[in-house]
C-alpha cells in the first residue's frame, strides 16, 4: 500500500510506502468502523474509495496566520506543470515572497538557468541547492519572519481566485493536508481518513502534533509559548465545514455530498450549521 498523496514525493518510496505493520493497522481500523463507499475524482481520474466518514466530523481550525508550526516543512511533491506555469506567470510576486530568484542570483546562477530549473527540476530550484533534509518547501514564505505560509495560495488570493482555481494551482497534498489517502498498489481502491486518536498509528501525519485538528494541544503551555496569540476555541468547526470547498474541488462533488449527507443523517453535524457555513463559503 502507498500514501497516495505522496506518490510523487521527491524522496520516493522512502516517504510514500506504507509499512506492513501500518497496513495491518489500517485494514483493522477500516474493518471495525462505519465506512462509506463512494467515488472520488482526483485530477480528472475516478477512483473507488472507502471513507472513514465520521472522521470528517472531527473539529478543525486551519488558521495558518496564528500558527508557528512548520507545516510546509519540505517539498511534498515533484511539481506539476500547472504549478510551474503559474509560478512563471507570476514570477515577480513569487520572488517577492519566497526570495528564491534573488537567492539563486546571489549564488551565481543566471536568469536562464533559474527559469529552466522552475520548468524542469523536481523542487523548482536547482537540485544541487536542495538539502538532503529540506527544511522548508520552496513555495513557502515567512512574512515578517513569522508564520510559514504558501506563496502559491497567497498569490491566488491576491488575484481574487476562488477555491477551485487554488486547488488547481497548488499541489494536491498541500490542499488536502492533513487528510490522509492510502491506496492499494494498483490504486484500485483508496482509503480516506483523518489523523486522530484511532488512526494516528497508520496515517502519515501524527495527530498529536497537529494543532489544527487537535484542539486540546492548542490549550497546552508548550503550544502557547510557540503561538502566543493562540487558536480561538470557537473557530473550531467540523472538518467537513472547515474544508468544504477544498474537498469539493479536490475529491469531487460526489465525495463532498456523500460524506456531508451521511454526517447529517447520523447527527454528527447539524443541518443548521451546515446551511450557515455553506452560505458563507459557497457564495459566488
Amino acid at each position: 500500500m502507498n500514501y497516495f498523496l505522496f506518490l510523487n514525493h521527491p524522496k520516493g518510496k522512502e516517504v510514500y510506502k506504507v509499512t506492513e505493520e501500518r497496513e495491518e493497522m489500517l485494514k483493522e481500523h477500516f474493518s471495525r468502523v462505519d465506512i462509506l463507499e463512494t467515488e472520488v475524482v482526483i485530477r480528472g481520474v475516478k477512483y473507488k474509495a472507502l471513507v472513514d466518514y465520521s472522521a470528517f466530523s472531527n473539529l478543525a481550525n486551519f488558521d495558518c496566520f496564528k500558527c508557528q508550526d512548520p507545516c510546509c516543512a519540505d517539498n511534498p511533491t515533484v511539481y506539476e506543470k500547472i504549478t510551474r506555469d503559474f509560478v512563471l506567470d507570476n514570477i515577480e510576486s513569487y520572488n517577492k515572497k519566497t526570495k528564491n530568484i534573488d537567492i539563486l542570483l546571489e549564488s551565481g546562477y543566471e536568469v536562464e538557468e533559474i527559469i529552466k530549473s522552475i520548468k524542469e527540476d523536481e523542487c523548482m530550484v536547482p537540485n544541487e541547492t536542495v538539502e538532503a533534509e529540506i527544511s522548508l518547501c520552496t513555495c513557502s514564505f515567512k512574512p515578517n519572519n513569522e508564520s510559514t505560509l504558501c506563496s502559491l495560495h497567497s498569490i491566488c488570493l491576491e488575484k481574487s481566485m476562488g477555491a477551485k482555481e487554488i486547488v488547481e494551482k497548488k499541489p494536491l497534498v498541500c490542499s488536502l493536508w492533513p487528510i490522509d489517502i492510502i491506496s492499494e498498489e494498483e490504486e484500485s481502491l483508496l482509503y480516506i481518513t483523518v489523523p486522530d486518536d484511532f488512526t494516528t498509528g497508520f496515517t502519515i501525519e501524527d495527530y498529536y502534533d497537529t494543532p489544527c485538528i487537535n484542539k486540546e494541544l492548542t490549550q497546552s503551555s508548550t503550544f502557547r509559548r510557540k503561538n502566543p496569540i493562540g487558536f480561538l476555541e470557537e473557530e473550531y468547526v467540523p472538518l467537513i465545514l472547515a474544508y468544504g470547498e477544498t474537498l469539493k474541488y479536490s475529491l469531487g462533488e460526489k465525495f463532498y455530498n456523500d460524506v456531508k449527507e451521511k454526517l447529517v443523517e447520523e447527527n454528527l453535524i447539524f443541518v443548521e450549521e451546515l446551511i450557515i457555513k455553506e452560505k458563507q463559503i459557497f457564495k459566488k
Side-chain angles (χ1 to χ4, degrees):
M1 302 183 82
N2 300 315
Y3 290 112
F4 180 83
L5 295 174
F6 291 85
L7 281 172
N8 290 323
H9 195 284
K11 295 181 182 177
K13 288 186 177 181
E14 176 187 342
V15 171
Y16 73 69
K17 191 68 179 173
V18 180
T19 65
E20 290 184 6
E21 179 183 9
R22 289 190 170 204
E23 182 175 332
E24 289 178 9
M25 294 175 69
L26 178 147
K27 291 293 182 67
E28 195 277 331
H29 176 78
F30 273 78
S31 70
R32 63 180 173 78
V33 297
D34 292 331
I35 298 300
L36 171 67
E37 295 185 31
T38 188
E39 175 185 271
V40 297
V41 180
I42 302 174
R43 296 297 200 241
V45 180
K46 293 181 180 180
Y47 301 89
K48 293 181 180 179
L50 296 181
V51 185
D52 179 13
Y53 65 85
S54 66
F56 287 83
S57 67
N58 293 352
L59 296 179
N61 177 6
F62 300 113
D63 189 347
C64 299
F65 297 99
K66 294 178 184 173
C67 184
Q68 299 298 318
D69 281 24
C71 298
C72 300
D74 71 355
N75 289 280
T77 188
V78 176
Y79 290 101
E80 299 169 274
K81 185 178 186 299
I82 191 169
T83 302
R84 298 172 188 272
D85 290 345
F86 183 69
V87 168
L88 291 171
D89 289 342
N90 297 276
I91 195 74
E92 290 185 9
S93 294
Y94 174 76
N95 183 50
K96 183 177 180 181
K97 297 182 191 311
T98 66
K99 310 300 182 187
N100 283 347
I101 311 302
D102 291 343
I103 291 168
L104 292 172
L105 287 171
E106 291 168 7
S107 298
Y109 289 90
E110 300 293 333
V111 172
E112 294 76 12
E113 295 177 289
I114 297 171
I115 298 301
K116 185 174 186 293
S117 179
I118 293 173
K119 290 180 178 179
E120 299 177 2
D121 288 332
E122 290 181 342
C123 300
M124 294 197 292
V125 292
N127 293 329
E128 62 269 20
T129 70
V130 181
E131 305 92 336
E133 293 296 331
I134 305 166
S135 60
L136 280 176
C137 169
T138 50
C139 287
S140 69
F141 73 108
K142 295 174 72 70
N144 303 315
N145 288 324
E146 295 179 355
S147 300
T148 303
L149 302 175
C150 173
S151 63
L152 303 174
H153 198 122
S154 294
I155 294 169
C156 286
L157 293 178
E158 289 171 359
K159 297 174 74 69
S160 300
M161 293 182 175
K164 183 176 185 296
E165 292 173 295
I166 294 173
V167 167
E168 290 172 350
K169 307 301 184 189
K170 289 176 63 175
L172 187 67
V173 62
C174 302
S175 292
L176 286 174
W177 187 95
I179 293 166
D180 212 344
I181 302 178
I182 298 172
S183 67
E184 297 286 1
E185 289 296 334
E186 301 302 319
E187 299 174 15
S188 56
L189 184 64
L190 305 183
Y191 300 83
I192 304 177
T193 188
V194 180
D196 63 17
D197 297 66
F198 303 103
T199 66
T200 195
F202 62 80
T203 50
I204 198 167
E205 297 290 347
D206 184 353
Y207 164 69
Y208 296 101
D209 287 335
T210 311
C212 51
I213 54 172
N214 185 342
K215 187 172 70 172
E216 285 69 31
L217 176 62
T218 68
Q219 308 305 312
S220 70
S221 57
T222 301
F223 176 83
R224 291 302 301 278
R225 282 195 293 271
K226 290 169 59 181
N227 305 269
I229 296 177
F231 280 18
L232 298 178
E233 184 174 357
E234 62 267 24
E235 291 180 354
Y236 277 84
V237 297
L239 195 149
I240 190 70
L241 303 181
Y243 252 12
E245 284 190 296
T246 297
L247 293 172
K248 178 180 177 182
Y249 295 122
S250 297
L251 301 176
E253 289 194 47
K254 178 173 174 54
F255 170 88
Y256 172 75
N257 289 327
D258 285 354
V259 173
K260 175 186 68 176
E261 290 168 9
K262 194 69 176 175
L263 293 176
V264 171
E265 177 186 322
E266 300 197 3
N267 293 319
L268 292 171
I269 62 171
F270 300 103
V271 67
E272 293 81 10
E273 62 181 342
L274 182 64
I275 292 172
I276 292 171
K277 192 66 177 179
E278 288 195 335
K279 282 183 178 179
Q280 294 172 344
I281 65 176
F282 289 106
K283 61 184 178 182
K284 300 301 181 183

